[in-house]
Amino acid sequence: MRRTLIRLGIAAALAAAVLTVANIAFRPRTERPAAQTVAQQTDLLAGRVARAQQHLRDVPGDWAGWSALGAAYLEQARVTADPGLYPQAEQATRKSLSLRRDGNGDALVVLGALANARHDFATARDQARAALRVDTADADAYGVLADALTQLGDARGATDAVQRMLDTRPGLAAYARASYDLELRGRIPEATALMRRALNDAVDPHDAAFCRTQLGDLAFGRGDLRAAADEYAAALAADPASIAAQRGRARVRAAQGDLPGALSDYADLTARLPGPSYLIEYAELLNVAGRAAQAEEQLSLARAAQQLFTANGGQDGLATAALALATGRSADAVTAARAEWNRRHHPDVADTLAWSLHTAGRDAEALTYAKQAVSGGAHPSTYAYHLGVIELALGHRAEARAELTRALDTNPYFSPVDGPNAGRALAALGGSR
């Protein structure tokens, strides 16, 4: 599943965290290689920060300028994958609030976006609501609120916030959030149509790359490799620096049997400092290729990335649980996933907790969460596979057969490891696709 959509910076239309944060902001068209594109954008952002800093040295009482600096730091953190910039973003934005507390909705929105980036969704919700008390028609605040409520598991509240954003300022940011809202309810054709509507509103290459990547993810989720490959290729043509699009291309290549090509894509991503989830995926593929030592290196990098994130105010029990599962620490996975479930009731968290409990041999308890994961309507292959395996472990053969069939019918390429496992388990049950 795609993760939360968050808005970063006052001028940004939309930002999305798809394993890593991907912001929609101005980016000039370029045909340069990805590394050069990233360097160019980093330089532009550094210039933006430097100009804001100089302005505030000249006019230190400019509360709006401090808020804009906080947004610039947050965007810089996104581009450089450096959560070490989060404290600077917070410091600048809180300076804005110290200069003007009443009526400073911009600062509240930036703080809400920062909280979403740190996965502190309850705080993001509260900041967004505070911003809406300043301006009930603040579309950006509705975007932050929708993202936070989505992750907290308040589906009705999230839908209402998305609708208010659509009513207040229809456009790419609102359409993209509405698409994700529909996806979480299992309405994939409608989600795809709305994302195409968002694409039609894209005004620069980075906007287009974001939308194309989301369309690629939706196509991959339904097992349409050709459509997914086309969308990721279009995304990379628009923005060669798109980490999310390159990850998508790697998954398609792996599904097509091009293991060297997939590994090459992931290796390139590693050099660009992706988040822990990408590194865990890379490690899984390296294990498939029989390169266990290199896989362990990627897991070590994932642990370091996770530690950097938490050291700068982030919290991500899902990444902690995924790392524990990848290294065979079932009890630790359960602890991390349960703590995350206590914070928020997103379907991804329910699914992760269910799988962690299964690996710990606690299938009766796992079944409750596996069913919770699909209760809102989303039923991707991963959820179906986990539910099917848990049902099988409990001796529920008919239910297991149905879920494993669903997993493979939805997307037979959903995992280079679990896809084949699902096929073997279904064959042992006498099932066929």
Side-chain angles (χ1 to χ4, degrees):
M1 299 291 291
R2 288 174 293 147
R3 300 280 179 94
T4 186
L5 295 170
I6 65 174
R7 178 266 199 199
L8 297 179
I10 297 301
L14 176 67
V18 186
L19 303 175
T20 55
V21 181
N23 186 45
I24 287 192
F26 177 76
R27 179 174 296 178
R29 184 178 299 276
T30 175
E31 301 302 326
R32 296 178 182 179
Q36 290 178 273
T37 305
V38 172
Q40 181 188 53
Q41 188 176 15
T42 300
D43 290 344
L44 288 171
L45 282 168
R48 175 183 165 193
V49 168
R51 287 190 298 274
Q53 289 171 331
Q54 181 58 56
H55 169 73
L56 291 167
R57 281 191 288 269
D58 296 336
V59 191
D62 182 2
W63 57 271
W66 284 105
S67 178
L69 177 60
Y73 278 132
L74 195 51
E75 167 67 349
Q76 195 175 39
R78 192 275 309 172
V79 170
T80 60
D82 182 7
L85 291 164
Y86 290 166
Q88 292 172 261
E90 181 173 7
Q91 183 179 19
T93 310
R94 291 201 180 281
K95 175 67 173 178
S96 175
L97 280 175
S98 74
L99 292 167
R100 179 170 176 175
R101 180 154 299 275
D102 295 336
N104 193 349
D106 284 355
L108 294 170
V109 169
V110 174
L111 286 175
L114 173 62
N116 270 335
R118 285 170 158 167
H119 297 185
D120 184 359
F121 302 112
T123 296
R125 173 199 60 202
D126 295 344
Q127 296 288 6
R129 286 174 173 168
L132 287 167
R133 287 194 290 271
V134 174
D135 180 2
T136 58
D138 188 336
D140 292 326
Y142 280 120
V144 172
L145 180 61
D147 302 337
L149 294 179
T150 295
Q151 292 300 314
L152 290 169
D154 182 357
R156 179 175 295 181
T159 299
D160 289 345
V162 170
Q163 186 60 57
R164 292 296 296 271
M165 192 179 187
L166 286 164
D167 294 341
T168 303
R169 193 175 67 203
L172 186 152
Y175 296 145
R177 284 179 169 88
S179 171
Y180 186 44
D181 188 70
L182 288 166
E183 182 187 353
L184 285 174
R185 287 185 272 153
R187 296 168 58 180
I188 304 303
E190 296 102 314
T192 301
L194 262 180
M195 189 53 69
R196 292 209 175 279
R197 190 168 180 179
L199 176 62
N200 290 337
D201 272 22
V203 295
D204 64 63
H206 186 53
D207 289 0
F210 169 83
C211 295
R212 290 288 191 183
T213 300
Q214 304 312 305
L215 287 166
D217 290 348
L218 288 164
F220 186 85
R222 62 178 185 267
D224 189 342
L225 295 186
R226 177 175 294 181
D230 289 346
E231 296 293 355
Y232 295 135
L236 288 166
D239 178 10
S242 174
I243 290 176
Q246 188 164 339
R247 176 253 190 175
R249 185 175 68 183
R251 296 177 74 195
V252 169
R253 285 177 168 174
Q256 292 172 333
D258 179 10
L259 191 57
L263 290 171
S264 176
D265 271 334
Y266 276 114
D268 183 55
L269 288 178
T270 300
R272 293 157 58 195
L273 303 174
S277 298
Y278 285 58
L279 296 167
I280 293 169
E281 283 185 11
Y282 184 23
E284 180 180 60
L285 205 59
L286 285 166
N287 278 319
V288 170
R291 294 156 61 177
Q294 290 175 273
E296 181 53 41
E297 290 176 4
Q298 298 309 312
L299 292 176
S300 295
L301 289 174
R303 283 189 287 271
Q306 174 69 353
Q307 289 166 2
L308 180 63
F309 182 67
T310 57
N312 287 283
Q315 44 189 323
D316 190 352
L318 285 186
T320 302
L323 276 165
L325 288 169
T327 52
R329 296 178 290 113
S330 299
D332 290 344
V334 170
T335 299
R338 192 181 298 283
E340 192 73 2
W341 180 253
N342 289 338
R343 289 201 311 123
R344 59 192 186 98
H345 287 187
H346 188 277
D348 283 347
V349 184
D351 175 68
T352 300
L353 178 53
W355 194 241
S356 299
L357 287 164
H358 164 72
T359 63
R362 298 160 62 178
D363 289 296
E365 189 178 0
L367 184 61
T368 299
Y369 294 102
K371 289 183 175 180
Q372 177 70 33
V374 301
S375 64
H379 209 132
S381 291
T382 299
Y383 290 7
Y385 171 71
H386 289 164
L387 178 54
V389 170
I390 291 165
E391 294 277 21
L392 182 59
L394 291 169
H396 305 160
R397 294 175 62 85
E399 293 85 349
R401 186 182 299 110
E403 289 298 330
L404 293 170
T405 299
R406 179 170 189 147
L408 293 171
D409 283 348
T410 300
N411 179 16
Y413 318 104
F414 71 95
S415 165
V417 174
D418 292 336
N421 286 343
R424 286 189 287 269
L426 186 60
L429 286 167
S432 60
R433 294 177 54 229

